[in-house]
Amino acid sequence: MFGNRRDERPPLQRASEAAASLKPGTWESVEALAVLAVECRGTPEAEHFYRTASDAAAQLKAGTYESVRALAWLNRAGRELRGA
């Protein structure tokens, strides 16, 4: 997907595709989807990214640095979307 060829698609589209390929329920997927939700604020996609991140967060392993970081990003995304 991100080989040596020049990809002319918008970065947000490429990021969305990359996030979709992450393993669900991992801190990486939660954090990536939360960041995408913030970036898409004001669009229908923002709510979808936020809900998907929230669902994935329910599967996080408790008590790890990574889960804390991912949940903090999820909280920020929720705050940003409510303020949009």
Side-chain angles (χ1 to χ4, degrees):
M1 175 172 25
F2 297 105
N4 291 332
R5 67 180 172 85
R6 183 159 170 85
D7 194 338
E8 298 294 331
R9 294 173 301 149
L12 200 54
Q13 181 182 355
R14 295 185 344 231
S16 176
E17 287 179 14
S21 69
L22 293 172
K23 182 179 176 185
T26 62
W27 69 268
E28 292 98 338
S29 68
V30 174
E31 189 171 326
L33 291 164
V35 168
L36 282 167
V38 170
E39 187 58 32
C40 292
R41 180 180 45 213
T43 70
E45 292 85 8
E47 186 59 34
H48 168 73
F49 286 133
Y50 181 77
R51 278 194 319 270
T52 305
S54 185
D55 291 345
Q59 302 172 43
L60 288 175
K61 181 179 177 184
T64 66
Y65 165 80
E66 291 86 0
S67 65
V68 171
R69 181 181 163 112
L71 290 169
W73 268 106
L74 183 60
N75 185 69
R76 179 178 179 186
R79 189 177 64 242
E80 296 259 346
L81 295 178
R82 285 188 300 274

